[in-house]
Amino acid sequence: MVIPDNIDSANGPTSDSAGSEAQRRSELGAFLRLRRERTTPEEAGISRGTRRRTPGLRREEVAQLSGIGVAWYTWLEQGRRINPSVQVLDAIARTLRLDRTERDHLYRLADVPSVPLEVSARQPQPPEHQIILDALIPLPASIVTARYDVLAFNDAYAALDPGLALLAPADRNVLWHLFTAEEHLQPLVEWEREVSFMVAQLRAESGRRLGDPHWTGFIRQLSEVNERFAEIWAKHEVASSVTRRKSFWTVDGDEITVIATGFAMASTPDTKMWIYTPDDAETQRLLGQLVGRYQELGPAGLLRQGARTGRGGRRHSAH
């Protein structure tokens, strides 16, 4: 049976979807061409020569510098129906010296399932971000990616979880910390409930990033080192990010409860600033004391001094 292309069917595209697809490919080709013409040979590290009529790079030069075939790159600019990989787009973006916004636009035009995030704990945050976080003290606050990489935090946040603060910046990931840290360093009171919810959020976010090696590698590694994570991940539960009440053990074994509220960061896509607001007067009092001790002792000193985390014994089990 021949299905008219203006009928919505699982067996073929509608005229609207086909038109959108053609427009997307056309815009991708135009975007690549204009960025190629903007990039000078000198910027790309090649000689200009004397017989150059192209204002920027030639197609064959972009293909060679990106490690791909000339015909294949030409088809991209011509808007043909081909599916470039993340690695190929990365190579083209480097050759054309695209900035972050241009690179994200390239991925969207190429209809890649996910845009690889450049943001990581290895990259310093703008100083104004830390100024904002510090101004929120004594409220614990942090900047966290959708994958739970902690990019920045204030002293109040570190006082709640000094074990995380002791990690190297590249290793500061909330989920990895919760599934691999020793029990006495675990800050969550309702550990099972909270990590299950966080893994469900991770599962929902990962659906937008299928094929992203940064995500697949992280999930694979955490599944290998922690059987409980692998079990929860295998349930395929999904959840959205919401304001919620959370309870923490302090280093002394006191239980405090906060309201966790996330605010999207316009300057860094797919990250949020999380602010913890005390849920009661006792939590507010204990937080104030805890921050003062942290600022005096640092994370290692606070852990050593704590009745739960230090050598003097523990009052509670973490989970």
Side-chain angles (χ1 to χ4, degrees):
M1 176 187 297
V2 177
I3 301 177
D5 61 7
N6 61 341
I7 297 178
D8 189 7
S9 170
N11 296 322
T14 65
S15 59
D16 287 343
S17 62
S20 298
E21 170 76 7
Q23 181 181 12
R24 179 184 61 75
R25 293 198 306 270
S26 175
E27 290 195 14
L28 172 61
F31 180 72
L32 287 173
R33 185 184 71 256
L34 291 171
R35 291 305 176 272
R36 172 173 60 82
E37 293 175 351
R38 182 193 69 178
T39 307
T40 66
E42 291 81 3
E43 288 176 324
I46 60 179
S47 174
R48 174 174 289 275
T50 58
R51 301 180 59 185
R52 179 178 293 272
R53 291 178 296 178
T54 304
L57 296 178
R58 301 185 180 100
R59 284 176 174 171
E60 57 266 28
E61 290 171 335
V62 174
Q64 182 178 7
L65 290 169
S66 303
I68 59 180
V70 177
W72 196 91
Y73 177 78
T74 300
W75 294 340
L76 259 184
E77 279 201 10
Q78 291 175 343
R80 297 202 188 184
R81 188 175 294 177
I82 56 177
N83 299 311
S85 68
V86 169
Q87 291 76 16
V88 165
L89 292 174
D90 273 341
I92 294 173
R94 285 192 297 269
T95 298
L96 299 180
R97 303 172 65 86
L98 302 186
D99 63 23
R100 173 59 189 268
T101 302
E102 292 170 328
R103 185 183 294 242
D104 288 352
H105 186 61
L106 172 66
Y107 279 101
R108 285 190 290 271
L109 291 178
D111 199 27
V112 172
S114 65
V115 177
L117 296 177
E118 295 264 333
V119 178
S120 75
R122 294 182 177 86
Q123 295 178 326
Q125 292 293 287
E128 59 269 22
H129 288 183
Q130 191 62 53
I131 293 172
I132 294 170
L133 292 173
D134 292 341
L136 290 168
I137 296 173
L139 300 183
S142 61
I143 297 175
V144 182
T145 70
R147 203 184 66 172
Y148 291 102
D149 295 314
V150 181
L151 306 182
F153 54 87
N154 63 14
D155 287 350
Y157 181 89
L160 267 186
D161 193 357
L164 183 68
L166 281 173
L167 297 175
D171 298 329
R172 289 174 184 154
N173 179 279
V174 178
L175 270 178
W176 190 276
H177 173 59
L178 291 175
F179 278 102
T180 61
E182 296 180 32
E183 184 176 344
H184 72 287
L185 295 177
Q186 298 283 357
L188 294 176
V189 174
E190 298 179 274
W191 187 91
E192 184 73 24
R193 181 177 76 97
E194 289 300 325
V195 299
S196 295
F197 180 77
M198 292 170 70
V199 172
Q201 284 184 298
L202 187 75
R203 169 68 79 173
E205 291 289 345
S206 71
R208 300 170 50 208
R209 299 165 175 84
L210 297 177
D212 185 333
H214 301 289
W215 279 68
T216 56
F218 173 77
I219 293 164
R220 182 184 66 255
Q221 291 171 18
L222 192 47
S223 297
E224 290 171 353
V225 301
N226 190 278
E227 182 179 345
R228 185 60 189 133
F229 172 83
E231 292 172 353
I232 299 174
W233 181 258
K235 293 180 179 180
H236 287 260
E237 299 286 347
V238 294
S240 60
S241 178
V242 294
T243 297
R244 59 191 282 110
R245 181 177 283 100
K246 301 175 69 170
S247 296
F248 291 83
W249 297 122
T250 71
V251 293
D252 294 319
D254 295 307
E255 183 176 337
I256 62 176
T257 304
V258 298
I259 306 299
T261 308
F263 300 88
M265 302 281 293
S267 58
T268 46
D270 287 327
T271 66
K272 286 187 177 181
M273 179 178 291
W274 285 95
I275 301 174
Y276 294 166
T277 308
D279 192 37
D280 52 64
E282 180 64 6
T283 290
Q284 186 173 358
R285 183 185 70 82
L286 289 172
L287 262 179
Q289 293 180 349
L290 201 61
V291 173
R293 288 167 59 196
Y294 175 85
Q295 292 175 333
E296 177 186 354
L297 301 170
L302 187 63
L303 286 171
R304 284 194 300 269
Q305 189 189 76
R308 183 175 72 91
T309 57
R311 293 175 182 154
R314 308 171 194 168
R315 294 185 194 171
H316 299 280
S317 172
H319 60 274

